[in-house]
Each structure stands twice: as structure tokens, then as C-alpha cells.
Amino acid sequence: MIRYLFRKIGYSLAVMVGIVVVVFFLFNILPVDPARMTQGQRSDVQSLEAVRKEFGLDKPLSVQFAYYLNDLSPIGLHERTAEQKERYGYVQLFPVSKTHAVCLKWPYLRRSYQTHKEVAALLMDVIPNTLALAVLAMLIAIVLGVLLGVLSAVHQNTWVDRFAVGFSVLGISAPSFFAGIIIAWLFGFVLSHYTGLNMTGSLYSYDPFKGEVITWRNIILPAFTLGLRPLAIIVQLTRSSMLEVLNQDYIRTARAKGLSENAIVYRHALPNALNPVITAIANWFASLLAGSFFVEYVFGYNGLGKVTVDALEMSDFPVIIGSILFIAFIFVVINILVDMIYVWIDPRVKFD
């Protein structure tokens, strides 16, 4: 298993490098001048050149990419100055000249073109909001999805089954941005007097007496919207897997021994039907971080998605690339964790 884990980590690093190459050149070959976006259309040539020099945009694209890789790498070559040490927070491994040394550090995502703030700090301010949204959305999807899937399989060909299948088809078919608009309008506007929910709002709001406070009701509608599609997928996967397991010989043997139906369903059938569901849950959790872009924008929820969309509008490439790399990293980590969970859930799974 250790050998398999190291092999997976190696593949994952190769994937991350490939993603860095693609997103860097994709956004830097666009016919957009970030310097002009920060200074405005009427800015003078001297101001534009100063901004390009400050962010290294005056260098050839290949040189910019080499510098960016050096910034992202946990082991990089940097100047031995107090300014560089403060910026990168590195630990010097060994010097290579009087002015440069090979250093150990955290990946550096650079600074925002628009705000001049560190991209890592900008993302860390909103990532907890997006993680809270994704976790709640996934909990809603898991609880309702597994419950509806089990009920649908146990009560096959009844109104319960037809309702669960119809709901799952509707959830898969509805795009997130469309479902978000309908849910926000219906529950946040038309029925807001009964639900007490708002059409828009972030997890944190400002109270003039208490300062910044958590407003949990603002997360309910975006979480349900974000969890709608994985909920539908989990319903169908649980239903089909449960129907297959319920027809196995050991289930018939358990019934012949006189076990209660609840014991058969929840102690014997459900644990053995969870493998495909676990795969969907793990993959969808990572997808929710990417899918939150539209949902957060529709609900005005201050998270990773909204910050990225705002950065796209302003051509703030360091923020865009940083958020994409963070989501890719989450995908890679979850993919490795899923393989580990397989062995814990099903000991029959072996590593090659």
C-alpha cells in the first residue's frame, strides 16, 4: 500500500505540473493587458510600464513562466535578502552564490494585480466560507440522497420509488445557475415571510453592535442549490446498488433466518452497497468547490467562486490561477484519500 501511495503521489504531482502549465499559458496568451486593467484606459505609458515591471510582465513569456514555477515550487532559488525572505518565508538550505540560495518554502501565489494583496491571503479569507458551503451541501446530498435511494429500492415500483426517481432526474437536468435563480426567487423572495431566508447574503455579516457575526440562514439556500445535483446522483446510485445487493443470496439467507427487514436493509445490504456511493461522494465534494462559482455568484455569497468570477471580470490572473490550482489540489488529495477509504470500507479491495 505504501508503494502504491507513493506512486499515486508521483502521478498527482505530474498532474499538478500539467495544470500549472495549461492555466499559466492559457491566461497569459489572452489579448488582455493586466496593466491597463489596473490603471484604466487613459493611463500614460510610464504608469503602464511601471506596473508591468512591478509584476514582471515586461519579460518574455518563457521567462515569466520560469519565475512562476520557481515561486510555486516548495524548493526554489531566491535572493538572500531580507525582503525576499519576508516575501517567501523561506528557510535557506544551501547557498549557490553570494546573492542566491536554494530555499525551502511554501508555494508562493504572488500578488493580486488589482488589490496588490497576497493571493494566498485573499484565498484564505474566502476558502473557509466555500468549504462550509461545500460541506453543508454534501451533508444534505448524502443524508437525503442515501435515504431516498434506500426507500426507493425497498419500495420498488411504488409512488415512493417514482417520486425519488423523478426528483433525481429533475436534479440532474437542472443547471446550477438556473436552479439557484429559481430557488432564490421562490424561497428567498416569494416565501421569505415564511422561510425567513434572504435571496442574497454571505456567511458573515456585520452587526453595528456585535461586529462581524455568522449568519447561518444565508448558507441554507446556496447549500441546497449546490447539493442538488450530487443529491440526485446519490439517489440513483444508492437505488441501483441496493437493488443489486437485495437480490444476492446472502440477503435471501438472512430473510430465511428470520432477521427483521430493517436489520437486513441497514446492517447487511446498505454497507455492501456503499462503494459506488462513496466514489460519487468523494468526487462530488471536490466538484462542489468548482461548482460553487455560479451558485456563489447568484446568491452573492462571498466565497472562492465569487472571488474568482470577480477576478475574471478584472483580468486579475494571479487570483484566477491561484484558485484553479487550489481546486486542482483538492481534487488530487481527495482522489488519493478515496483509494485509502476503499480498503477501510471493503477489505476485498487490493492495491496493485
Side-chain angles (χ1 to χ4, degrees):
M1 186 175 73
I2 295 176
R3 187 166 58 249
Y4 174 81
L5 181 60
F6 276 106
R7 190 162 66 245
K8 286 284 291 185
I9 292 174
Y11 292 152
S12 300
L13 289 175
V15 169
M16 290 299 299
V17 171
I19 292 172
V20 170
V21 173
V22 171
V23 297
F24 180 87
F25 285 102
L26 176 65
F27 287 106
N28 281 278
I29 63 174
L30 294 176
V32 177
D33 187 357
R36 191 168 293 279
M37 294 294 292
T38 60
Q39 296 297 304
Q41 296 298 322
R42 297 185 178 181
S43 55
D44 57 89
V45 176
Q46 290 80 6
S47 299
L48 292 176
E49 290 300 325
V51 171
R52 293 190 184 104
K53 185 175 182 180
E54 179 185 359
F55 291 104
L57 300 174
D58 57 333
K59 297 180 175 62
L61 191 58
S62 58
V63 176
Q64 292 184 43
F65 180 64
Y67 277 116
Y68 193 72
L69 280 183
N70 189 57
D71 286 346
L72 279 183
S73 174
I75 298 178
L77 182 67
H78 296 286
E79 295 180 7
R80 301 168 64 184
T81 62
E83 179 187 355
Q84 290 276 299
K85 187 168 185 179
E86 181 181 359
R87 173 182 295 180
Y88 295 100
Y90 62 70
V91 176
Q92 182 175 311
L93 295 179
F94 56 87
V96 294
S97 68
K98 292 182 178 180
T99 58
H100 289 78
V102 174
C103 308
L104 180 68
K105 60 180 176 57
W106 288 103
Y108 180 62
L109 298 175
R110 298 193 168 179
R111 290 181 297 148
S112 165
Y113 290 156
Q114 297 296 326
T115 64
H116 291 245
K117 294 181 179 179
E118 299 289 341
V119 171
L122 286 174
L123 296 183
M124 289 306 298
D125 284 341
V126 296
I127 282 172
N129 297 349
T130 298
L131 287 177
L133 179 62
V135 168
L136 182 57
M138 203 69 246
L139 286 175
I140 292 173
I142 292 170
V143 173
L144 294 181
V146 172
L147 178 62
L148 285 176
V150 170
L151 291 175
S152 178
V154 172
H155 301 283
Q156 188 181 13
N157 298 324
T158 65
W159 70 269
V160 176
D161 186 24
R162 288 191 289 271
F163 170 79
V165 171
F167 177 79
S168 66
V169 171
L170 182 64
I172 294 173
S173 305
S176 295
F177 67 90
F178 176 75
I181 293 172
I182 297 299
I183 291 173
W185 174 77
L186 182 60
F187 296 100
F189 179 71
V190 177
L191 301 176
S192 61
H193 181 71
Y194 304 100
T195 62
L197 303 175
N198 301 319
M199 289 186 67
T200 59
S202 296
L203 181 59
Y204 290 91
S205 59
Y206 182 79
D207 185 280
F209 300 102
K210 299 179 181 178
E212 197 174 49
V213 294
I214 298 179
T215 311
W216 290 109
R217 64 179 181 175
N218 288 342
I219 200 176
I220 295 174
L221 292 183
F224 182 77
T225 304
L226 190 60
L228 189 59
R229 181 163 289 186
L231 191 161
I233 296 291
I234 291 172
V235 169
Q236 294 197 354
L237 285 176
T238 305
R239 179 183 182 275
S240 60
S241 187
M242 281 291 295
L243 287 175
E244 181 181 349
V245 170
L246 288 173
N247 288 322
Q248 298 295 319
D249 291 338
Y250 69 89
I251 297 297
R252 286 191 286 269
T253 302
R255 285 199 175 100
K257 289 181 177 180
L259 291 180
S260 67
E261 193 64 21
N262 285 339
I264 292 172
V265 170
Y266 294 105
R267 290 180 55 189
H268 296 278
L270 183 58
N272 291 288
L274 283 180
N275 264 354
V277 179
I278 291 171
T279 305
I281 290 171
N283 291 333
W284 268 105
F285 181 76
S287 299
L288 289 181
L289 296 175
S292 66
F293 284 28
F294 297 110
V295 173
E296 289 180 2
Y297 200 74
V298 167
F299 287 93
Y301 184 88
N302 188 31
L304 183 64
K306 188 175 184 300
V307 166
T308 306
V309 173
D310 291 341
L312 278 168
E313 292 179 351
M314 301 301 296
S315 299
D316 200 345
F317 296 149
V319 177
I320 300 169
I321 296 174
S323 63
I324 292 174
L325 293 181
F326 171 76
I327 292 171
F329 176 75
I330 293 297
F331 267 99
V332 165
V333 170
I334 288 180
N335 184 260
I336 295 174
L337 291 178
V338 167
D339 290 341
M340 303 298 106
I341 293 173
Y342 272 156
V343 178
W344 179 62
I345 294 293
D346 189 353
R348 296 172 296 178
V349 175
K350 301 295 181 183
F351 291 109
D352 296 330

